[in-house]
């Protein structure tokens, strides 16, 4: 599936015995990424090896959300908000990718990555010209996820592309966990390439840096770096008549019902129910999702009463992190 069902911003670790090269790469990476720069193999590997247990704890926390929902205890949506509001933001500190130079005096990069057998992040090897065949062999044996020629003038741009678009084992596992909330029909709709692209563009447009795709209700709960939460409600065109009936039962007028029936507006009835909100249902303009005319969406921003605390946001966590310094 091209659209990740779960995404959380994380950290990136770079390991190279050349501090000047590390600083050069750091200058070319987006300022809103948390980047750690290492010249010490032991320090870098020590941190990543400690993370394996935290990755497991986070996956367990996500699975527990779904298990409680299946038992009918608590709606998915409110549980995700509680997960985002948690006091410990250890998940932001988890390293999503480790980028390692192959040629280092203490240990070559391939051996360094091999020492991370339980770490589920993305593994990228930087190579010199003499090391490229070694990297090709390592890639073919699935020991690394990608390799890049270190002296390529476009190495920073190529690296950005890899880090932005190649999922790690951890991200793939999270998507598998959340796929359990989707019906077969919902899963098939999200697998349509034009639909996946449209949803990703919408999340980027609204500044969502983390999100979860839910099947009950159907939509995407997204959060901006500053902590604002939006609900991208998804409705199959075939289900608009049922939504209209629910809106009529909730007391909406004839004009609103006609807009819902024609797919011009959506109403946040399921969102309000999941939040336990007693307020009047809200309407928002609807728009097509993808190219096959089977799915529409509307964006609802959550009010302040249901937003997680601002100090639990990614921006607040990032502001507390040290500047990009080479750790020698």
């Amino acid at each position: 599936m091209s659209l990740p069902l779960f995404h959380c911003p994380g950290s990136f670790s770079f390991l190279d015995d050349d501090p000047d090269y590390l600083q050069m790469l750091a200058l070319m990476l987006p300022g809103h990424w948390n980047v750690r720069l290492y010249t010490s193999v032991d320090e870098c590997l020590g941190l990543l090896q400690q993370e394996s247990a935290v990755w497991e704890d986070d996956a367990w926390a996500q699975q527990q959300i779904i298990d409680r929902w299946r038992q009918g205890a608590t709606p998915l949506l409110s549980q995700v908000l509680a997960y985002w509001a948690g006091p410990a933001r250890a998940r932001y500190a988890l390293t999503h990718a480790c980028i390692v130079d192959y040629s280092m005096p203490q240990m070559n990069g391939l051996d360094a990555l091999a020492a991370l057998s339980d770490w589920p992040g993305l593994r990228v090897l930087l190579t010199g010209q003499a090391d490229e065949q070694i990297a090709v062999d390592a890639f073919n044996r699935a020991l690394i996820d990608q390799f890049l020629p270190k002296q390529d003038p476009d190495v920073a741009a190529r690296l950005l592309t890899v880090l932005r678009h190649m999922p790690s084992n951890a991200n793939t596992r999270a998507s598998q966990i959340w796929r359990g909330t989707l019906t077969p029909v919902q899963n098939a709709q999200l697998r349509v390439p034009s639909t996946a692209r449209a949803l990703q563009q919408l999340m980027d447009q609204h500044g969502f840096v983390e999100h979860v795709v839910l099947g009950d209700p159907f939509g995407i709960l997204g959060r901006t770096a500053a902590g604002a939460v939006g609900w991208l409600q998804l409705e199959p065109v075939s289900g608009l008549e049922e939504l209209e009936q629910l809106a009529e039962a909730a007391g909406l007028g004839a004009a609103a019902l006609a807009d819902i029936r024609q797919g011009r507006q959506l109403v946040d009835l399921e969102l309000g129910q999941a939040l336990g909100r007693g307020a009047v249902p809200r309407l928002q303009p609807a728009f097509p999702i993808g190219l096959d005319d089977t799915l529409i969406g509307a964006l609802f921003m959550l009010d302040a009463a249901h937003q997680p605390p601002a100090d639990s946001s990614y921006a607040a966590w990032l502001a507390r992190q040290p500047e990009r310094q080479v750790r020698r």
Side-chain angles (χ1 to χ4, degrees):
M1 181 177 291
S2 58
L3 178 73
L5 301 185
F6 177 93
H7 176 73
C8 173
S11 301
F12 300 89
S13 291
F14 288 75
L15 174 61
D16 194 316
D17 63 307
D18 184 349
D20 293 334
Y21 189 82
L22 287 174
Q23 291 287 14
M24 182 273 292
L25 284 179
L27 289 172
M28 297 182 181
L29 297 173
H32 62 276
W33 287 10
N34 184 50
V35 176
R36 306 185 184 105
L37 308 173
Y38 298 93
T39 58
S40 167
V41 173
D42 291 340
E43 186 178 359
C44 181
L45 295 186
L47 173 72
L48 297 183
Q49 287 165 343
Q50 292 174 20
E51 285 187 357
S52 296
V54 185
W55 278 110
E56 286 299 317
D57 289 345
D58 191 59
W60 175 252
Q62 295 176 46
Q63 185 63 59
Q64 288 292 99
I65 290 174
I66 295 171
D67 290 346
R68 286 190 291 267
W69 163 72
R70 284 176 174 154
Q71 295 163 7
T74 315
L76 287 170
L77 203 146
S78 58
Q79 289 195 75
V80 174
L81 292 176
Y83 169 79
W84 282 346
R89 294 277 64 85
R91 58 197 175 88
Y92 292 149
L94 289 172
T95 307
H96 284 208
C98 185
I99 301 88
V100 182
D101 182 27
Y102 175 76
S103 182
M104 295 183 295
Q106 185 178 351
M107 178 188 293
N108 71 56
L110 197 55
D111 288 341
L113 292 173
L116 301 172
S117 57
D118 296 327
W119 175 74
L122 190 67
R123 302 157 188 262
V124 181
L125 192 67
L126 298 175
T127 65
Q129 290 184 350
D131 311 319
E132 287 193 21
Q133 188 55 53
I134 295 174
V136 170
D137 293 340
F139 179 80
N140 290 337
R141 293 162 55 201
L143 300 178
I144 57 175
D145 299 292
Q146 187 61 272
F147 65 92
L148 297 173
K150 186 176 180 180
Q151 304 307 321
D152 189 323
D154 296 326
V155 64
R158 293 177 61 185
L159 181 59
L160 277 175
T161 299
V162 169
L163 297 182
R164 282 174 170 154
H165 300 294
M166 179 174 283
S168 66
N169 291 334
N171 290 334
T172 301
R173 179 181 181 184
S175 285
Q176 290 172 344
I177 290 173
W178 288 96
R179 190 173 294 119
T181 74
L182 300 175
T183 67
V185 172
Q186 292 169 345
N187 190 51
Q189 287 174 316
L190 295 175
R191 286 182 177 273
V192 176
S194 67
T195 299
R197 286 194 300 269
L199 290 172
Q200 188 62 63
Q201 289 169 0
L202 283 166
M203 288 190 288
D204 293 344
Q205 175 185 339
H206 294 290
F208 291 167
V209 298
E210 54 185 326
H211 72 263
V212 182
V213 179
L214 306 179
D216 180 27
F218 188 28
I220 301 176
L221 196 66
R223 197 179 191 202
T224 68
V229 176
W231 170 244
L232 181 56
Q233 183 169 319
L234 302 178
E235 290 287 347
V237 172
S238 61
L240 290 176
E241 183 177 348
E242 180 181 354
L243 182 62
E244 179 196 6
Q245 293 171 356
L246 293 174
E248 184 177 16
L252 272 68
L257 295 177
D259 281 346
I260 294 170
R261 183 172 60 253
Q262 298 299 322
R264 292 190 293 266
Q265 293 196 90
L266 293 181
V267 60
D268 67 342
L269 292 171
E270 289 182 304
L271 174 64
Q273 183 180 19
L275 295 176
R277 193 184 66 211
V280 176
R282 297 179 298 171
L283 292 161
Q284 286 291 350
F287 40 80
I289 305 289
L291 302 176
D292 62 355
D293 299 324
T294 63
L295 194 66
I296 61 175
L299 180 68
F300 298 87
M301 298 304 296
L302 272 63
D303 56 37
H306 295 99
Q307 298 278 356
D311 63 0
S312 70
S313 69
Y314 178 66
W317 176 84
L318 192 61
R320 297 191 291 267
Q321 304 312 301
E323 295 183 5
R324 296 177 181 178
Q325 301 280 344
V326 176
R327 306 182 187 193
R328 302 171 186 268

